[in-house]
Amino acid sequence: MTPAGRAEAVEEAPFRLRSVAVAAYGPTIFEGLGYGAAIPVVPLLARQLGASVGGAAFVVGLLGIGQLVTSLPAGSLIGTYGERRAMIVASGAGALAAAVAGWAPTVGVLAAATLLTGMTWSVFLLARQGFMIDAVPPDMRARALSTLGGAHR
């Protein structure tokens, strides 16, 4: 209290997206680059392993199927273990799945690794969104999340 009996207002610095840029957008860009570079190679690898053109397309489609079927369970997993732990585990499992896919001896192993990759990507992205919701004030969330979407693409 001041001598006049009024409380002094404490001014806070305005929030800037730059303050969370490296922590929020860096891993998303890094992970997105990895997936973006690998996706064109998957059908070629499937064809090399003996898959038909349709089979190779199906193997690539398993990435999206993995994302789709894991979206709801990913939310529960993130709620139970937290965003940070979920992102770390998903990134590690995704890297392992990518390594398995790269050295897959059969189309079946490649398909399973591609499905797992889609599943880990879903967990990673949902955890990243949860992190952004916690780290960014409400009046900046729309901008922060749309920038996160751009970093993902």
Side-chain angles (χ1 to χ4, degrees):
M1 293 280 217
T2 63
R6 292 179 292 192
E8 292 181 23
V10 178
E11 284 191 38
E12 293 184 30
F15 178 82
R16 299 202 186 277
L17 282 178
R18 280 184 245 157
S19 65
V20 295
V22 172
Y25 303 123
T28 303
I29 291 169
F30 182 70
E31 191 112 351
L33 285 172
Y35 284 114
I39 288 172
V41 176
V42 172
L44 300 174
L45 185 55
R47 290 285 290 152
Q48 186 178 19
L49 292 172
S52 66
V53 172
F58 178 73
V59 169
V60 173
L62 286 172
L63 185 68
I65 292 170
Q67 290 175 341
L68 181 66
V69 301
T70 310
S71 291
L72 289 176
S76 296
L77 200 136
I78 294 163
T80 302
Y81 297 106
E83 289 102 1
R84 182 177 171 87
R85 185 177 291 166
M87 282 186 286
I88 291 169
V89 170
S91 293
L96 180 64
V100 168
W103 288 295
T106 66
V107 175
V109 172
L110 177 63
T114 303
L115 182 68
L116 180 60
T117 300
M119 296 167 90
T120 61
W121 187 231
S122 181
V123 173
F124 180 85
L125 288 177
L126 285 174
R128 180 60 56 192
Q129 288 173 358
F131 169 78
M132 292 297 285
I133 289 169
D134 292 340
V136 177
D139 62 323
M140 294 289 290
R141 273 190 202 140
R143 183 174 297 155
L145 289 172
S146 65
T147 305
L148 181 66
H152 164 68
R153 282 167 194 81

